[in-house]
Amino acid sequence: MRSNQNFCHIIQSSGTGKSRMIDQLSTTHLVLPICLRMPGLSKLPPPDHRVRDFLGHGLTPRYTEAFFIALFQVALQALQELRKQAELHDYARLAGEFRLRMTEGQTLRNSNEYRRVFYDKVIEITEKNYSDLSRVGTESKPVITSGCALTALSQFLRQLVLDKLSPSERAIEGNITKDWPLIVISFDDASSLTKIEACKTTVFGLLSRKIQSLNYAPVYALFISTSWPFSPRELPDHKPDHSSHILRRVIAPVIPYTVVSFDEFALKREDGSVRTCNSILTISEISGEWFMSHLGRALWPSRIGHTTRNDLDSVKNSIVSFAAGELLNDSKFNNLEKYSFSNTQKFACLGQRFSLEFDPKQAASCERQKAQVERHLRIYLQVDPTFESLVTVSSSEPLLSEAAFAVMQNSGFIAADALYHLFKRHSVRTGDREELLVFLLLTQARDAAVCAQNDQAMWKYMQAPAEGWNRVISVSTFIENLFEGLPDSIVEGIRQDFAGMKLHFNQIKKVHEQAVMQRFYLAPMFARGIGIFCADRQLEESVDVVLPFLIGEHVCESSIGSILINTRGSSLNDGNPNWDVFDEMDPFVLGTLDFDDDNCPLPVIRVVFALAEKPALHAKREEIEYDENKSFVAYNIWCAGLSSDLLKPITKAQERRWSSLLDIVSHSWQGPFKANGRKRMHSRSQTMAPGVASDSMFWKNFFPLPDGESSESGGDESCDSAEEHDSDKDSVDEELANMTKEQQAQLIAQLDNL
């Protein structure tokens, strides 16, 4: 036989509405809420200090039994009193009244008097019950069990349900309600239960075993947390006893519940009205703190929603700072000028700006994903009961992306260095076609343009000025902050042709269908501040990224244009740009422009990055006819290589770092043979794969090639090796710095012997 556990885990990132979901359940169903949050955190619901302290000190199986007896007894007494006082004879209304009594008047740090008295009684009766249970066998006095106490509570509630039914309905419903109504026990912030050892297991293990022993009754427990409070040794042992002749149930584990709802408050306007499908947003509205804070998880709108009208402006001005503290998992920071960022914090910030994913092939990937969810607001999309398979994502939350942008303006946050170290040490996928480097270039160009039109001091303390932050930039300003050395005619032409056209994006997110790049979807994507990356590009399609822009003030489909970007261009054999690829970047085929548009189509900018090629920058303007007497203007920009002379986000001092990043993401087959750039080790590593390439070192030891027979790539490889040595110097220095002097001396001696 198989049966499900009568408890499950609700696991999701902080602020996503887990507790709110259970609170909503308690308006019509009996929920016995227990919050185990540690002191010092200002969040709802507030902690039940007495219960948390009791469970954290010396819990045993006998104490566990005594606790559940007391919990059911006190709950029954409280409900009977409520029924009498309020004259409530309806189960749902009684459950709602109990919820109101337990939550009314609570603060972020303290529960109300009713709830404190309730749990004081539970702990006092627990001590008495424990004493009674300890005397079992020494006295003839019968002792009540948790099963008896639960049955009494269940019968009381079931009678309330049956009393509302007519005799005929009762006859029909009798069998249906034998396991109804359900009694729910919720343990909020339950991750702490797995950290406290108790009787060769943990507090969670003791509680789950006891609850599972009551699975014949209508009781269900919910363990709510941001982390996975589970270990196989903590669950009841359900291994079959092969020597037993008794049929035992095999308990099927319940998949952790991770589903929450985002954007629940997105339609609420600042004036209190509600947007409809016909409402038109303005660009000033979508770029403001109110709109951004009402997208994503429930934490952001709840912070503003609990604010009085007099304090609203102050909260709005500090909401980005609050979000940054949540993202960094450090709510007490107040000055980023001297802040030291960990790799997990760097991943959290970069992952919120563009699509960073963990490499599932690396062993540490699973634990690092869980850490990002628990501490840095990443989201679980899918988990299995054993947590051996995870799908996580940094979801689109404009406010959180804006917070990440503000954090990244700190002088100690060098984005290229951060991405490099994440690739090297943090189980991060490098992408399929150098797109992550393009994302970083686009993001830094946007950030530079936004910073230039705002007071730089605001990034230090993250406090918005009275007039607010100006997050909207012109298309021409963005292009000028991305490229260096465009012909003056191209720069001036973009200024004129794109006059009045504006960009607004603080994140680049991956979509899984090419259809999302169509114009119909670009307007809501623009409102959300998203640049679009299509992950599943087909071979014949030549657009990876779409940056939507707007003409005018009102966000609507007809006012949306686009910048189309190809992230994996390649030059012709003579080194000249392959202009044919621009013909394949057709905005009408892609759907970013409409054939049926009666108005003159918006101009288009098409960019091809060929980052692995020799540095070169080419651009031209052309007018393309697409229908009889109809044409559109296109600016085609071909950018090859990673040079500070061509790309403004790259400084001269950072060129080597960007070159190292390119080596990592290009998936070059030469990578394993470079041996950290040490020439002699590099040559030896080539002999370990005889004959795989034309370089002489792949043939040296078994078939030496005559002079001149090695291909040109061999000479280039030596140069590449030297460049790799330079680009990895920082990494080698870091490794040496972590060694003792004796270890350093031994390593140097070994290298000298080679």
Side-chain angles (χ1 to χ4, degrees), residues 39 46 124 201 233 236 250 303 330 403-404 423 572 609 689 733:
E124 291 169 6
T201 180
R233 71 187 182 92
V250 178
R303 183 169 179 83
D330 185 359
F423 283 152
L572 299 175
F609 286 100
D733 289 344

Side-chain angles (χ1 to χ4, degrees), residues 341-351 356-373 375-376 378 392 394 417-430 436 664 734:
F341 298 96
S342 67
N343 277 339
T344 58
Q345 290 174 322
K346 292 174 183 176
F347 181 96
C349 292
L350 289 176
L356 280 185
E357 297 177 347
F358 288 94
D359 187 348
K361 294 181 291 185
Q362 298 193 31
S365 171
C366 186
E367 290 303 317
R368 285 175 172 152
Q369 287 189 78
K370 288 192 283 188
Q372 284 292 319
V373 174
R375 297 193 287 271
H376 300 293
R378 197 170 173 87
T392 65
S394 292
D417 288 348
L419 188 59
Y420 175 83
H421 292 300
L422 289 176
F423 283 152
K424 285 289 189 180
R425 303 185 180 94
H426 213 63
S427 309
V428 176
R429 283 194 63 204
T430 57
L436 292 180
I664 293 173
E734 290 176 9

Side-chain angles (χ1 to χ4, degrees), residues 481-644:
N481 276 274
L482 179 58
F483 296 111
E484 184 80 69
L486 282 174
D488 292 341
S489 59
I490 295 295
V491 173
E492 189 58 35
I494 291 176
R495 288 176 181 174
Q496 293 179 5
D497 289 328
F498 290 85
M501 301 183 192
K502 304 164 187 175
L503 272 173
H504 167 59
F505 74 96
N506 57 17
Q507 53 188 310
I508 299 173
K509 294 300 182 182
K510 179 169 71 173
V511 300
H512 297 283
E513 293 182 343
Q514 194 84 21
V516 181
M517 290 186 173
Q518 294 176 6
R519 201 176 191 186
F520 174 78
Y521 297 101
L522 292 184
M525 288 295 215
F526 179 85
R528 206 176 183 97
I530 294 179
I532 304 168
F533 164 58
C534 188
D536 300 323
R537 188 180 83 165
Q538 302 299 317
L539 291 177
E540 70 273 15
E541 295 165 338
S542 299
V543 174
D544 300 305
V545 180
V546 175
L547 298 180
F549 61 79
L550 179 75
I551 182 170
E553 293 294 321
H554 296 94
V555 182
C556 56
E557 181 180 345
S558 61
S559 300
I560 293 291
S562 58
I563 299 174
L564 309 179
I565 299 171
N566 181 320
T567 64
R568 56 173 177 181
S570 58
S571 301
L572 299 175
N573 292 333
D574 58 3
N576 290 320
N578 181 9
W579 293 107
D580 291 341
V581 73
F582 291 99
D583 295 334
E584 300 172 8
M585 300 169 68
D586 191 322
F588 294 101
V589 174
L590 189 64
T592 59
L593 288 180
D594 297 328
F595 279 108
D596 298 331
D597 194 342
D598 294 332
N599 299 320
C600 180
L602 296 177
V604 175
I605 295 177
R606 301 185 290 194
V607 181
V608 174
F609 286 100
L611 300 183
E613 305 286 333
K614 293 182 179 180
L617 182 64
H618 304 273
K620 64 181 181 179
R621 178 188 186 276
E622 58 181 340
E623 194 165 327
I624 303 171
E625 291 188 6
Y626 67 94
D627 200 0
E628 186 177 354
N629 299 323
K630 288 186 177 182
S631 63
F632 70 95
V633 172
Y635 284 83
N636 299 330
I637 302 175
W638 178 279
C639 181
L642 286 168
S643 170
S644 60

Side-chain angles (χ1 to χ4, degrees), residues 179-192:
D179 293 328
W180 185 261
L182 195 64
I183 299 164
V184 179
I185 309 171
S186 71
F187 295 92
D188 211 329
D189 218 339
S191 56
S192 61

